């Protein structure tokens, strides 16, 4: 089992050295609980693995995975930089203490005023299209402004399903065929293009597609280097490092992964004589995914055509199972050691049939009042949550060194309509 699951002597699930049942009693459910030390460990595992093979290495944490300000502060204090995909994330990063040089903005279908905001914030823009480049040249003074381009390293789309954000069906990036022309155009317009970026997909446990993409992007970068005046300051290979969601899945061998990627990188730099530009990667899920549990209480056990375990949260709180049919490992936190005795459906409280956390899952005998821990809920979990069904968003707690601190209050009913305006003529007098 590699799911960051610990069980204490009471046979209760623990996170960050704290009994899940105690946290649930103190703060109520549903509740996200985040383990600070695990985030720091995950960050340092990647950082050490890469930097010992290549010194000029930087991690740009992809903060769309989890933008809680405390999480951002933890990563800022570790020395991370930030991959921001929206102006809101740029704002959040700046507010969390990241200086502008530690933020890279990789937007998609970006508005002019958004580019203006990023430029005014002194944050570098990673440009996704020729259209965006030309619009950027019109709204700012390009003189010497450092930019990079996202390219689509069109690799093995048919062979590796994880590469689909890098294949011919992907909306992201600039094609290999137009790369040289685009960098030349950027220089002609007055920009200083200094980087290249790609991001091929998410949840990669097998390094092969990432290696192929690294080779493919280095070929594009080498070609740009040889045919233009671009001197690369950085090459950014995006995120996508996976974590196991199922107990039987392997973990990504990060030591080996780093060795292989840096070896391809160094080999290609030498081949083209490109010097020693910074190597960036942008993990999101790998840093925060297994550092958090969603705790939710069983309130209904129902034998219908199937057996349903009904809990007090739903896809408004954790969307991944409904949206991606993702597997999340489920542990009965107050019976963490008990063997599975039956297959059940774990169902949320949203009024939709698709609101299931698990279908046909072997679990111990579950009673009303039991506490469910949904593991690996640190990435794309709270950040994708909503108020659907008019449910206020839930609280988040950070555990560290045996203590638990509230880092986000749960929303109130008032929060459901603070920004709404009812026209006067509709008000009841
Ligand atoms: C989402 C995203 C990432 C992070 O992906 P993970 O699978 O969470 O590592 C990195 N870079 C960009 C540009 C992204 O959009």
């Amino acid at each position: 089992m590699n799911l960051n699951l610990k069980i204490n002597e009471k046979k209760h699930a623990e996170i960050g050295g704290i009994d899940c049942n105690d946290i649930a009693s103190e703060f109520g459910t549903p509740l996200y609980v985040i383990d600070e030390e695990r985030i720091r460990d995950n960050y340092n595992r990647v950082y050490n693995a890469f930097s010992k093979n290549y010194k000029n290495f930087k991690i740009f944490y992809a903060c769309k995975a989890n933008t809680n300000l405390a999480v951002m502060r933890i990563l800022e204090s570790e020395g991370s930089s930030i991959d921001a995909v929206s102006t809101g994330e740029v704002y959040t990063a700046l507010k969390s203490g990241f200086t502008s040089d530690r933020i890279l903005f990789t937007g998609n279908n970006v508005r002019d005023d958004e580019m203006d905001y990023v430029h005014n914030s002194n944050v570098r823009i990673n440009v996704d299209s020729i259209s965006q480049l030309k619009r950027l040249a019109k709204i700012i003074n390009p003189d010497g402004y450092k930019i990079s381009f996202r390219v689509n390293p069109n690799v093995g789309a048919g062979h590796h399903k994880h590469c689909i954000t890098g294949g011919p069906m992907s909306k992201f990036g600039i094609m290999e065929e137009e790369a040289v022309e685009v960098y030349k155009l950027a220089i002609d317009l007055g920009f200083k293009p200094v980087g290249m970026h790609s991001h091929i997909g998410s949840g990669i446990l097998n390094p092969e597609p990432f290696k192929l993409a690294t080779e493919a992007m280095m070929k594009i970068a080498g070609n740009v280097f040889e045919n233009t005046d671009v001197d690369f300051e950085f090459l950014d290979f995006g995120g996508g490092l996976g974590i196991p969601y199922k107990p039987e899945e392997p973990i990504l061998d990060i030591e080996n992964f780093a060795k292989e990627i840096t070896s391809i990188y160094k080999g290609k730099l030498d081949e083209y004589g490109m010097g020693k530009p910074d190597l960036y990667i942008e993990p999101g899920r790998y840093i925060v995914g297994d550092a958090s549990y969603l705790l939710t209480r069983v309130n209904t056990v129902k034998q219908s055509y199937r057996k349903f375990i009904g809990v007090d949260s739903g896809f408004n709180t954790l969307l991944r199972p409904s949206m991606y049919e993702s597997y999340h490992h489920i542990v009965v936190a107050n019976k963490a050691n008990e063997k599975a005795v039956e297959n059940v459906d774990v169902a949320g409280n949203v009024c939709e049939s698709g609101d299931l956390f698990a279908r046909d899952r072997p679990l111990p005998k579950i009673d009303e009042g039991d506490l469910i821990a949904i593991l690996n809920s640190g990435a794309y979990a709270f950040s994708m949550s909503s108020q659907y069904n008019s449910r206020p968003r839930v609280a988040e707690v950070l555990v560290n060194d045996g203590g638990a601190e509230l880092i986000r209050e749960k929303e109130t009913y008032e929060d459901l309509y603070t920004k709404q305006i009812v026209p006067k003529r509709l008000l009841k007098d």
Side-chain angles (χ1 to χ4, degrees), residues 2 69 76 110 152 155 171 183 290 298 348 355-356 366 409:
N2 285 309
L69 296 176
E76 196 280 328
V110 184
N152 179 344
V155 291
K171 66 171 179 168
Y183 278 83
D290 69 2
V298 177
D355 182 33
L356 287 178
I366 294 177
E409 293 176 40

Side-chain angles (χ1 to χ4, degrees), residues 62 64 83 85 106 150 197 199 202-203 239-241 282-285 380:
K64 73 177 184 287
D83 161 48
V85 296
T106 298
R150 178 172 189 163
H197 166 278
H199 172 66
S202 200
L241 286 66
E282 304 172 335
R285 184 188 315 276
Y380 308 106

Side-chain angles (χ1 to χ4, degrees), residues 35-36 39 74 83 92 96 108 111-112 130 141 145 193 208 255 282 295 297 299 305 322 328 340 392:
D35 178 355
E36 174 169 347
I39 295 178
I74 291 167
D83 161 48
T92 304
S96 307
N108 186 242
R111 278 199 318 255
D112 289 0
I130 298 174
N141 175 7
Y145 182 50
E208 288 311 311
E255 289 290 323
E282 304 172 335
L295 301 182
R297 186 81 67 185
N299 53 42
Y305 297 103
S322 296
H328 275 263

Side-chain angles (χ1 to χ4, degrees), residues 73 97 107 236 275 313 328:
R73 285 300 311 140
D236 180 342
S313 61
H328 275 263

Side-chain angles (χ1 to χ4, degrees), residues 84-87 105-119 125-129 131-133 135-136 139 171:
V85 296
S86 70
T87 47
F105 172 73
T106 298
N108 186 242
N109 301 328
V110 184
R111 278 199 318 255
D112 289 0
D113 63 295
E114 293 172 319
M115 290 194 280
D116 201 37
Y117 171 82
V118 176
H119 173 258
I125 295 186
N126 187 29
V127 178
D128 188 72
S129 66
S131 145
Q132 191 187 352
L133 178 71
R135 284 188 291 125
L136 184 60
I139 59 171
K171 66 171 179 168

